Amino acid sequence: MTKEMGLETILSLQSYYAVAGILFNLISFLSVVFKEERLTPTNPVSGIAAMVAFGATVGLGMSPEYRTLYAVLLCAWVLIIGYGGVHSHIIERSKHDLKNYSGMLAWISAIGLNMFGIMMMIAGVIVVCDLPPTYVIPLWVFLFLQLLRRANSAIQAGSVSDTSWTDFKCESTRKWQLSSQYIQMPDGTKLACDIYLPVTKDTDKFPTMLHLTRYNRNWKVSFPFNLFLGSSYNVRSLLYVEKFVASGYAWVTVDVRGTGASGGSRPVDFSPQEVSDISTVLQWTLAQSFCNGKIGSCGISYDALSALYVASTNNPAVKAIAPLFYPVDLYEDLIAPGGLTCNGFVEEYSIFTKALETANISMVKPILPSMMYQLFSTVLSGVMPVTGSEKELDDQLKQHAENWDMSSLYSKTDNKDRVIVSHGGTDYRAKDFGPTSCMDNLKRCRGLPVYTIAGYYDSAAVGSAVKLHDELKVAGLKPKLTIGPWTHGCRRNCSPYAVNSWPSFDMYEELVRFFNYHLCGKNHGIADEADVHYWCVGEEAWRESSSFPPTVSPQRFFLGNQGRLVTMQPGASSLPVPPGIVADQWMPDYEVGSGKCSRWNLTQHIAKQLVAYPDRAAKGPSYLVYATLPLENDVMITGTPVVNLRIEMDAPEGSIFVYLEEEVSEDNVLYVTEGQLLASHRKGTYLQADRKVLPVVDDGPSQSTVEHLRVKMQPVAWKFSQGSRIRLSIGAADIDNFLPHDADELTHSLLPNGGVPFVANRWWVHRGQSAPSMLELPIDGEEATFLGEQVVAEPEKKEFSKPPLPKGMSWRSQKIKGRRWSSTAPVAAVEEYKKMMEEKKVAEEDEGGE
């Protein structure tokens, strides 16, 4: 190719870049006009002008007499686009909507497009000036890497908030010795295993990390991506391996029975056979020539539970474990928090795990963001077989067909006693799920270091982490706890005050720091710091303590008049609520939801979606809302908020959802935490024998049938700012994450109701001195005071008398998850009632007009 032909090609590519840049900025401009948000941190009008100017520069290059000026201008454009088109996008990424994949795609596209443009500019300079590429290209790469380094330093220094409290750093590497093999179990089942060892000339023995997973230890890479990624890609534990191998550890990762490339089947999670496998794998690892006899184990979610079972073997070689983001009680933490079936977890997680067990990536298409699905389905092509045993893979996968179907949890989770699945003459109940069978053995491991990391926005696992930390401390172990503003697996920072939502806390580096001390004797501050570190949302800072929560003082906020939360006045002898029997009558909304990307849908967490509740203000009318006056001072809470409701319903069963929020302004309401409860499980054991239906009230309120429902929320550390309001929202449904409590026909037979609808049309929430309802907050520091005077006396108001409903009538009629739940009332009765309500409304309007 001649020099002129090469320049023509470069000029054409530069023209394409200019046109693409104009289109990108034009789309950003239209986004500003219609959505009031832009796709770039720079002004899109300036971007269009810059691309037009660059197009003029390209025009100069087409004329031989202006080639020198063209080359000089290209050098200037490299600096302009490098700073404004790449550096600014990296350093100001918080201005992009990185909370979803469309925003992330815009951000990546802008950087990629401008990097392509810079490469074409440099190519133009090389051709025009006859410079040797072998000299210029490495220089450009060096300058670009410096640009990235400076941008990254700026992000770490000023943009991201949850950086670790330590200055510990460790190396990361992609150089290791990788081998794979099968480990044979006593019953003949083969478990697939990958071994990562540091690259060394010596035959050293290494401290060894044991990682057992149900999420596929390794994946095959499709052509042509295998040409630069290699034949396999470790999606599940790569970030661990990079840190631990670089720090001198061996890393052993195993597909548990019935998953990945391993054989066998899963009659249920953590069956007796699977638990026995863990002990066998541990003994095998200790017998390997690379192991120095010191074992650590860690993992996220299911892998964390495996680490608990590794420790429960009571093998002295296990020196420390780090279970991360895990539920201790699967029923209460994930399957049915408060006794309500969490279909937000069960539905998508059952699809996700089935796809992994059958190596059928297409199954996850409906539940993953489209960009992520396209990436995985294009780059990956199934589970990676064991080296040398490729022909065995199909036979191993066929055995997975006998795995239990997690979707069988549907309609069987109204109590812990219910038999979920039977296998080999054994009945497995909801209360048997999770690490329950290993807890007694674990608590006998006196002196064992256990490091738990949890997130405020991760299901109910954060509550379990706090509870287990306390129990292990009492049992004589050495627990350590870190809680941050994260989703499941520390994948996103959900603090509404974070500059951007990508965590800067390096969890994998923190794990190396922990295991370095307990397996290698290297103290990087672990031995000298507090046992508990927790992030305070709003204050945006780490705090440390010997326990969680630290010493706090509960402050009670009573449900008061006019939708107010009121507190006891200094020196007051009586409650700040009206005397006698007073209750707010409310008609529940059964169509409200908190969104798919909530704390409960862990599949979306795995997809790195942000947990956000952006429309709390708009959804206010769907809830019974109480809020304080504006705060006179900042108020810090640390621990578990509790709602005590005195309530009556016109049905024997009801679901209660409570949300703690911060009302910054009328249009800006921030989600803080939540709790839920199925009324018949108000005793809190979730056993069928302890269930008790509500007394059915035809017309309340009355003192004789009021019931006390205590709803615990998930732990949090949060600062309510001066001038904002503390707000409590009480609801009856979350259709995005929980099945309606009357969806299970078996529940109807277990709780015979004599023809009374299971769905309440009316609630009476009591708030008088005879039966006060209240919110209890764990105050860490100064109690809340308010700007304004709290009203106690009941104001004079016009009562609304609702006509009685026809016997056996329920107003509920809505579509949930594609299923129709119909009213039990005759159509004529419904129409009659609507007509009466309309007449009542017209009469009131006429009266008001007079």
Side-chain angles (χ1 to χ4, degrees):
M1 181 184 290
T2 65
K3 173 181 176 181
E4 196 64 27
M5 290 176 62
L7 184 59
E8 287 179 5
T9 301
I10 291 170
L11 287 169
S12 296
L13 293 174
Q14 289 175 347
S15 299
Y16 295 150
Y17 164 69
V19 172
I22 291 172
L23 291 175
F24 186 90
N25 282 281
L26 180 60
I27 293 172
S28 180
F29 174 77
L30 294 175
S31 180
V32 171
V33 172
F34 294 106
K35 294 185 179 180
E36 298 185 352
E37 59 183 33
R38 57 192 184 188
L39 306 180
T40 168
T42 55
N43 189 318
V45 176
S46 300
I48 293 173
M51 289 295 99
V52 171
F54 178 72
T57 302
V58 175
L60 290 175
M62 295 179 180
S63 300
E65 61 268 29
Y66 295 113
R67 292 279 167 78
T68 301
L69 176 60
Y70 163 73
V72 172
L73 290 176
L74 284 182
C75 292
W77 277 113
V78 167
L79 297 177
I80 294 170
I81 301 301
Y83 181 82
V86 177
H87 183 272
S88 64
H89 281 80
I90 296 174
I91 200 170
E92 299 185 56
R93 58 180 175 172
S94 63
K95 294 185 180 180
H96 291 270
D97 183 14
L98 299 185
K99 297 177 181 179
N100 55 59
Y101 276 88
S102 60
M104 191 190 308
L105 180 62
W107 182 66
I108 292 173
S109 299
I111 294 176
L113 178 64
N114 288 317
M115 287 179 64
F116 170 79
I118 291 173
M119 292 175 66
M120 292 303 100
M121 295 168 197
I122 292 176
V125 174
I126 290 173
V127 173
V128 171
C129 300
D130 285 327
L131 296 175
T134 54
Y135 173 76
V136 176
I137 291 178
L139 178 61
W140 177 82
V141 170
F142 172 77
L143 292 173
F144 185 70
L145 290 175
Q146 289 298 309
L147 187 72
L148 290 178
R149 185 184 66 81
R150 287 178 175 273
N152 185 63
S153 298
I155 290 172
Q156 294 293 333
S159 299
V160 184
S161 52
D162 61 335
T163 305
S164 175
W165 57 91
T166 77
D167 57 2
F168 173 76
K169 299 293 179 184
C170 68
E171 297 296 323
S172 180
T173 186
R174 287 284 181 98
K175 295 181 179 180
W176 46 63
Q177 303 175 61
L178 171 60
S179 61
S180 63
Q181 67 180 86
Y182 275 119
I183 307 172
Q184 187 160 316
M185 299 297 103
D187 67 349
T189 300
K190 294 181 178 180
L191 302 189
C193 167
D194 284 351
I195 304 163
Y196 299 82
L197 300 178
V199 177
T200 174
K201 296 180 181 179
D202 302 323
T203 57
D204 290 341
K205 291 180 178 289
F206 308 102
T208 302
M209 298 298 299
L210 182 56
H211 178 248
L212 298 107
T213 182
R214 69 164 299 166
Y215 303 114
N216 290 8
R217 80 198 195 288
N218 217 338
W219 292 80
K220 289 187 295 185
V221 179
S222 305
F223 178 84
F225 304 99
N226 56 359
L227 298 178
F228 51 90
L229 287 178
S231 60
S232 66
Y233 193 82
N234 182 349
V235 175
R236 186 62 183 172
S237 61
L238 179 63
L239 296 177
Y240 299 97
V241 175
E242 290 177 338
K243 298 289 187 181
F244 276 93
V245 172
S247 301
Y249 290 79
W251 183 271
V252 177
T253 183
V254 180
D255 285 329
V256 298
R257 178 179 294 258
T259 70
S262 291
S265 61
R266 307 174 61 76
V268 72
D269 291 346
F270 292 109
S271 66
Q273 190 60 62
E274 182 182 349
V275 172
S276 176
D277 291 344
I278 292 173
S279 180
T280 302
V281 170
L282 174 59
Q283 293 295 337
W284 177 89
T285 304
L286 287 170
Q288 302 309 299
S289 59
F290 58 79
C291 180
N292 71 354
K294 295 181 179 180
I295 298 288
S297 188
C298 64
I300 296 170
S301 192
Y302 193 94
D303 309 345
L305 304 183
S306 295
L308 294 176
Y309 276 101
V310 169
S312 72
T313 62
N314 289 321
N315 192 309
V318 180
K319 303 300 181 183
I321 63 169
L324 316 169
F325 299 89
Y326 60 99
V328 175
D329 188 316
L330 280 178
Y331 181 90
E332 296 184 28
D333 296 346
L334 272 177
I335 297 172
L340 290 155
T341 302
C342 184
N343 64 310
F345 166 72
V346 174
E347 182 178 9
E348 295 198 0
Y349 186 74
S350 61
I351 295 173
F352 179 74
T353 53
K354 180 65 70 176
L356 296 183
E357 291 165 8
T358 59
N360 184 0
I361 298 178
S362 63
M363 288 182 65
V364 300
K365 184 176 181 179
I367 63 175
L368 288 185
S370 58
M371 179 181 173
M372 171 169 270
Y373 172 74
Q374 293 300 330
L375 176 65
F376 274 89
S377 60
T378 302
V379 176
L380 306 178
S381 59
V383 64
M384 185 69 182
V386 168
T387 304
S389 301
E390 290 81 1
K391 294 182 179 180
E392 293 186 37
L393 181 61
D394 287 343
D395 291 336
Q396 307 296 347
L397 291 176
K398 287 178 182 177
Q399 298 176 38
H400 301 175
E402 299 180 13
N403 288 1
W404 80 294
D405 183 5
M406 185 172 288
S407 64
S408 63
L409 286 170
Y410 263 1
S411 302
K412 293 184 178 179
T413 56
D414 63 299
N415 67 82
K416 282 187 171 183
D417 296 321
R418 184 75 68 84
V419 175
I420 304 298
V421 63
S422 297
H423 183 270
T426 301
D427 291 336
Y428 295 96
R429 293 173 166 80
K431 63 184 179 183
D432 300 324
F433 283 28
T436 53
S437 63
C438 80
M439 281 302 160
D440 288 341
N441 284 339
L442 179 64
K443 292 174 183 179
R444 296 189 185 101
C445 301
R446 298 183 63 84
L448 179 71
V450 180
Y451 191 176
T452 295
I453 298 180
Y456 294 131
Y457 298 87
D458 177 17
S459 62
V462 60
S464 268
V466 171
K467 181 180 178 181
L468 184 61
H469 175 83
D470 294 340
E471 291 179 356
L472 295 182
K473 193 170 186 177
V474 171
L477 283 74
K478 296 180 179 178
K480 179 176 174 61
L481 176 65
T482 293
I483 312 176
W486 308 309
T487 59
H488 189 62
C490 196
R491 293 176 172 95
R492 297 298 288 267
N493 178 343
C494 299
S495 167
Y497 300 100
V499 177
N500 68 68
S501 62
W502 299 103
S504 65
F505 180 83
D506 193 326
M507 180 176 69
Y508 305 96
E509 206 161 61
E510 175 67 3
L511 292 175
V512 170
R513 187 172 78 99
F514 171 73
F515 284 104
N516 270 358
Y517 179 63
H518 295 292
L519 271 67
C520 306
K522 300 176 182 178
N523 183 14
H524 306 292
I526 286 286
D528 310 313
E529 66 186 20
D531 292 336
V532 177
H533 287 82
Y534 62 94
W535 184 259
C536 178
V537 181
E539 188 178 61
E540 298 303 282
W542 288 106
R543 290 190 171 196
E544 62 178 32
S545 175
S546 60
S547 63
F548 186 92
T551 302
V552 294
S553 302
Q555 185 175 12
R556 297 186 296 175
F557 295 77
F558 296 89
L559 276 57
N561 302 326
Q562 300 173 311
R564 286 277 182 257
L565 288 174
V566 294
T567 60
M568 291 285 289
Q569 300 296 320
S573 58
S574 61
L575 298 180
V577 293
I581 301 173
V582 180
D584 288 331
Q585 179 177 294
W586 183 57
M587 297 181 67
D589 182 346
Y590 291 104
E591 297 184 359
V592 66
S594 60
K596 182 177 180 179
C597 293
S598 69
R599 69 187 302 136
W600 305 109
N601 194 329
L602 298 193
T603 305
Q604 299 305 314
H605 294 214
I606 294 170
K608 297 190 176 182
Q609 296 286 70
L610 184 71
V611 169
Y613 299 78
D615 51 357
R616 298 306 297 173
K619 289 183 177 179
S622 295
Y623 298 95
L624 189 57
V625 178
Y626 299 86
T628 65
L629 291 168
L631 292 169
E632 190 176 32
N633 58 313
D634 290 343
V635 175
M636 171 76 70
I637 66 168
T638 306
T640 304
V642 177
V643 177
N644 288 282
L645 291 179
R646 270 74 179 187
I647 196 168
E648 294 174 286
M649 298 182 186
D650 62 358
E653 183 67 287
S655 52
I656 295 91
F657 294 83
V658 292
Y659 299 89
L660 180 63
E661 298 158 334
E662 179 175 4
E663 185 180 315
V664 180
S665 66
E666 185 176 342
D667 299 323
N668 185 14
V669 177
L670 305 178
Y671 168 94
V672 179
T673 186
E674 68 179 271
Q676 52 284 126
L677 179 67
L678 186 63
S680 63
H681 277 307
R682 54 192 178 277
K683 191 171 182 179
T685 64
Y686 304 104
L687 301 176
Q688 179 59 29
D690 292 330
R691 294 185 73 178
K692 183 181 179 182
V693 297
L694 296 172
V696 178
V697 179
D698 291 328
D699 191 18
S702 67
Q703 184 63 33
S704 60
T705 53
V706 65
E707 291 289 332
H708 178 197
L709 304 183
R710 179 178 171 85
V711 188
K712 294 178 66 175
M713 297 185 178
Q714 293 304 313
V716 70
W718 184 284
K719 186 188 81 171
F720 292 89
S721 299
Q722 178 185 14
S724 66
R725 300 171 187 260
I726 299 171
R727 172 168 143 159
L728 174 66
S729 293
I730 304 169
D734 181 358
I735 62 171
D736 296 319
N737 298 285
F738 291 86
L739 280 179
H741 67 261
D742 66 330
D744 180 11
E745 293 182 0
L746 290 175
T747 298
H748 292 247
S749 64
L750 289 169
L751 297 175
N753 61 337
V756 179
F758 265 79
V759 181
N761 298 301
R762 291 176 293 174
W763 289 11
W764 291 271
V765 178
H766 284 249
R767 54 180 183 80
Q769 290 190 10
S770 61
S773 295
M774 70 191 78
L775 164 68
E776 297 178 4
L777 293 182
I779 303 296
D780 186 2
E782 186 180 357
E783 287 193 344
T785 56
F786 310 99
L787 299 169
E789 183 178 355
Q790 300 183 101
V791 178
V792 176
E794 186 74 14
E796 184 177 344
K797 63 181 181 180
K798 184 177 180 179
E799 293 291 340
F800 169 64
S801 177
K802 192 173 173 184
L805 295 173
K807 183 176 174 64
M809 181 174 179
S810 171
W811 286 108
R812 183 153 179 258
S813 178
Q814 71 249 300
K815 191 174 183 180
I816 300 177
K817 297 291 184 184
R819 300 172 68 180
R820 176 68 62 175
W821 303 93
S822 301
S823 169
T824 61
V827 175
V830 174
E831 294 302 322
E832 179 184 356
Y833 183 81
K834 288 182 177 179
K835 183 179 179 180
M836 293 170 65
M837 294 290 288
E838 186 63 30
E839 291 174 352
K840 179 75 175 179
K841 182 179 179 181
V842 172
E844 288 179 344
E845 290 176 350
D846 292 342
E847 183 180 342
E850 295 174 1

XYZ file of all heavy atoms in Angstrom, residues 264-307:
324
model
N -23.170 -36.186 39.860
C -24.108 -36.261 40.964
C -25.309 -35.374 40.762
O -25.429 -34.651 39.776
N -26.205 -35.422 41.718
C -27.426 -34.614 41.675
C -27.669 -33.991 43.047
O -27.030 -34.351 44.030
C -28.628 -35.468 41.264
O -28.837 -36.507 42.198
N -28.630 -33.065 43.075
C -28.909 -32.296 44.282
C -30.374 -32.498 44.678
O -31.256 -31.822 44.149
C -28.646 -30.812 44.048
C -27.271 -30.500 43.488
C -27.115 -29.032 43.130
N -27.273 -28.183 44.286
C -26.358 -28.016 45.231
N -25.213 -28.679 45.159
N -26.569 -27.218 46.242
N -30.656 -33.403 45.613
C -32.041 -33.554 46.058
C -32.525 -32.313 46.791
O -33.724 -32.039 46.848
C -31.985 -34.761 46.988
C -30.570 -34.817 47.464
C -29.748 -34.331 46.305
N -31.570 -31.546 47.327
C -31.843 -30.296 48.013
C -30.492 -29.649 48.277
O -29.447 -30.313 48.226
C -32.613 -30.537 49.335
C -31.710 -31.159 50.383
C -33.264 -29.260 49.855
N -30.462 -28.357 48.501
C -29.193 -27.690 48.816
C -28.666 -28.162 50.167
O -29.416 -28.257 51.137
C -29.379 -26.172 48.833
C -29.639 -25.618 47.447
O -29.422 -26.348 46.464
O -30.079 -24.446 47.345
N -27.354 -28.421 50.209
C -26.660 -28.890 51.410
C -27.318 -30.157 51.976
O -27.628 -30.246 53.161
C -26.577 -27.786 52.473
C -25.677 -26.655 52.074
C -26.214 -25.417 51.749
C -24.311 -26.832 51.985
C -25.388 -24.368 51.344
C -23.477 -25.791 51.581
C -24.012 -24.560 51.258
N -27.513 -31.098 51.080
C -27.981 -32.415 51.504
C -26.883 -33.074 52.338
O -25.714 -32.649 52.298
C -28.276 -33.284 50.285
O -27.074 -33.556 49.572
N -27.210 -34.107 53.114
C -26.173 -34.802 53.897
C -25.006 -35.269 53.040
O -23.848 -35.228 53.490
C -26.938 -35.982 54.502
C -28.348 -35.498 54.611
C -28.558 -34.634 53.398
N -25.279 -35.672 51.785
C -24.193 -36.140 50.916
C -23.273 -34.987 50.528
O -22.046 -35.128 50.502
C -24.770 -36.791 49.659
C -23.727 -37.509 48.810
C -23.032 -38.619 49.565
O -23.654 -39.575 49.987
N -21.732 -38.492 49.775
N -23.867 -33.812 50.221
C -23.049 -32.650 49.868
C -22.189 -32.203 51.050
O -21.024 -31.831 50.878
C -23.932 -31.493 49.396
C -23.148 -30.271 48.970
C -24.024 -29.106 48.540
O -25.237 -29.319 48.377
O -23.488 -28.000 48.372
N -22.755 -32.234 52.230
C -21.997 -31.859 53.428
C -20.829 -32.826 53.632
O -19.710 -32.431 53.981
C -22.918 -31.846 54.658
C -22.112 -31.641 55.931
C -23.976 -30.751 54.515
N -21.053 -34.123 53.401
C -19.984 -35.109 53.510
C -18.901 -34.860 52.465
O -17.705 -35.058 52.732
C -20.568 -36.519 53.349
O -19.554 -37.497 53.363
N -19.312 -34.421 51.255
C -18.339 -34.106 50.201
C -17.348 -33.045 50.660
O -16.153 -33.104 50.333
C -19.056 -33.593 48.948
C -19.874 -34.656 48.249
O -19.668 -35.850 48.533
O -20.725 -34.279 47.406
N -17.830 -32.056 51.404
C -16.977 -30.949 51.830
C -15.832 -31.464 52.692
O -14.670 -31.052 52.534
C -17.814 -29.887 52.571
C -18.770 -29.201 51.592
C -16.926 -28.859 53.262
C -19.753 -28.249 52.234
N -16.121 -32.378 53.574
C -15.071 -32.966 54.418
C -14.071 -33.743 53.573
O -12.851 -33.668 53.795
C -15.702 -33.876 55.469
O -14.713 -34.449 56.289
N -14.565 -34.480 52.573
C -13.677 -35.250 51.694
C -12.767 -34.332 50.891
O -11.558 -34.592 50.756
C -14.514 -36.122 50.734
O -15.362 -36.981 51.493
C -13.615 -36.956 49.830
N -13.313 -33.238 50.354
C -12.520 -32.282 49.576
C -11.455 -31.629 50.459
O -10.309 -31.419 50.035
C -13.427 -31.213 48.941
C -12.597 -30.086 48.330
C -14.327 -31.840 47.879
N -11.805 -31.316 51.687
C -10.839 -30.722 52.613
C -9.670 -31.675 52.858
O -8.494 -31.260 52.812
C -11.544 -30.366 53.926
C -10.657 -29.855 55.064
C -9.901 -28.592 54.652
C -11.507 -29.574 56.310
N -9.954 -32.941 53.121
C -8.893 -33.924 53.349
C -8.027 -34.085 52.098
O -6.795 -34.211 52.189
C -9.506 -35.264 53.748
C -10.202 -35.263 55.096
C -9.239 -35.009 56.249
O -8.036 -35.243 56.134
N -9.770 -34.522 57.362
N -8.651 -34.098 50.929
C -7.900 -34.210 49.669
C -6.956 -33.028 49.500
O -5.799 -33.192 49.101
C -8.888 -34.279 48.492
C -8.226 -34.323 47.143
C -7.827 -35.424 46.446
C -7.879 -33.189 46.332
N -7.248 -35.059 45.260
C -7.272 -33.691 45.161
C -8.017 -31.817 46.478
C -6.804 -32.854 44.143
C -7.549 -30.977 45.479
C -6.956 -31.500 44.318
N -7.443 -31.819 49.782
C -6.623 -30.618 49.630
C -5.401 -30.667 50.546
O -4.281 -30.331 50.134
C -7.462 -29.361 49.935
O -8.616 -29.343 49.089
C -6.655 -28.096 49.714
N -5.598 -31.087 51.784
C -4.482 -31.154 52.731
C -3.433 -32.166 52.289
O -2.242 -32.027 52.645
C -5.007 -31.526 54.121
C -5.778 -30.420 54.852
C -6.465 -30.984 56.095
C -4.818 -29.291 55.246
N -3.830 -33.169 51.510
C -2.897 -34.208 51.074
C -2.102 -33.808 49.834
O -1.169 -34.534 49.451
C -3.671 -35.500 50.792
N -2.415 -32.654 49.220
C -1.726 -32.256 47.998
C -0.352 -31.654 48.298
O -0.139 -31.036 49.346
C -2.566 -31.259 47.207
C -3.938 -31.789 46.830
C -3.880 -33.140 46.148
O -3.280 -33.275 45.083
N -4.495 -34.146 46.765
N 0.561 -31.833 47.355
C 1.958 -31.419 47.564
C 2.116 -29.906 47.664
O 3.081 -29.418 48.249
C 2.824 -31.938 46.410
O 2.359 -31.422 45.165
N 1.164 -29.133 47.095
C 1.285 -27.676 47.127
C 0.791 -27.061 48.436
O 1.029 -25.890 48.704
C 0.521 -27.045 45.955
C -0.948 -27.390 45.920
C -1.860 -26.745 46.759
C -1.431 -28.353 45.059
C -3.202 -27.062 46.738
C -2.784 -28.673 45.024
C -3.670 -28.031 45.863
N 0.061 -27.814 49.253
C -0.568 -27.264 50.466
C 0.383 -27.355 51.652
O 0.949 -28.423 51.922
C -1.863 -28.018 50.754
S -2.734 -27.431 52.228
N 0.533 -26.254 52.380
C 1.428 -26.238 53.546
C 0.722 -26.624 54.840
O 1.285 -26.490 55.920
C 2.096 -24.871 53.690
C 1.139 -23.776 54.150
O -0.080 -24.002 54.259
N 1.660 -22.588 54.422
N -0.518 -27.080 54.733
C -1.249 -27.530 55.913
C -2.096 -26.466 56.571
O -2.752 -26.727 57.586
N -2.124 -25.246 55.980
C -2.959 -24.156 56.514
C -4.038 -23.817 55.496
O -3.734 -23.450 54.356
C -2.107 -22.929 56.834
C -1.099 -23.166 57.953
C -0.297 -21.907 58.257
C 0.689 -22.147 59.407
N 1.478 -20.930 59.717
N -5.295 -23.937 55.941
C -6.440 -23.760 55.039
C -7.269 -22.565 55.478
O -7.544 -22.367 56.666
C -7.337 -25.015 55.045
C -6.574 -26.238 54.551
C -8.600 -24.785 54.209
C -6.297 -26.250 53.076
N -7.685 -21.780 54.485
C -8.680 -20.740 54.685
C -9.808 -20.968 53.706
O -9.629 -21.650 52.689
N -10.978 -20.437 53.985
C -12.100 -20.604 53.067
C -12.955 -19.343 53.079
O -13.131 -18.717 54.139
C -12.951 -21.817 53.465
O -13.927 -22.092 52.479
N -13.452 -18.960 51.912
C -14.288 -17.762 51.819
C -15.179 -17.878 50.601
O -15.037 -18.789 49.779
C -13.432 -16.495 51.741
S -12.416 -16.387 50.254
N -16.115 -16.969 50.476
C -17.001 -16.948 49.331
C -18.210 -16.081 49.594
O -18.465 -15.672 50.735
N -18.931 -15.793 48.526
C -20.125 -14.958 48.582
C -21.360 -15.834 48.470
O -21.411 -16.761 47.669
C -20.121 -13.922 47.442
C -18.947 -12.950 47.597
C -21.425 -13.143 47.381
C -18.727 -12.054 46.384
N -22.378 -15.552 49.279
C -23.689 -16.180 49.168
C -23.604 -17.676 49.452
O -23.202 -18.082 50.535
C -24.264 -15.884 47.774
O -25.629 -16.218 47.705
N -23.974 -18.524 48.483
C -23.936 -19.975 48.682
C -22.512 -20.435 49.013
O -22.306 -21.314 49.847
C -24.435 -20.680 47.426
C -24.726 -22.154 47.618
C -26.016 -22.587 47.919
C -23.720 -23.102 47.500
C -26.295 -23.935 48.094
C -23.987 -24.449 47.675
C -25.277 -24.861 47.976
O -25.535 -26.192 48.157
N -21.524 -19.816 48.356
C -20.132 -20.169 48.608
C -19.725 -19.827 50.038
O -18.861 -20.483 50.631
C -19.219 -19.434 47.629
C -19.669 -19.609 46.176
O -20.488 -20.504 45.915
O -19.211 -18.841 45.321
N -20.358 -18.796 50.603
C -20.104 -18.441 52.002
C -20.621 -19.524 52.932
O -19.979 -19.872 53.931
C -20.762 -17.104 52.332
N -21.793 -20.066 52.609
C -22.341 -21.151 53.424
C -21.436 -22.374 53.353
O -21.247 -23.088 54.349
C -23.749 -21.500 52.957
C -24.764 -20.349 52.944
C -26.137 -20.860 52.532
C -24.831 -19.666 54.295
N -20.850 -22.625 52.183
C -19.886 -23.723 52.056
C -18.698 -23.499 52.980
O -18.173 -24.445 53.589
C -19.405 -23.835 50.606
O -20.464 -24.190 49.740
N -18.249 -22.238 53.097
C -17.131 -21.933 53.992
C -17.496 -22.227 55.445
O -16.653 -22.695 56.223
C -16.713 -20.472 53.834
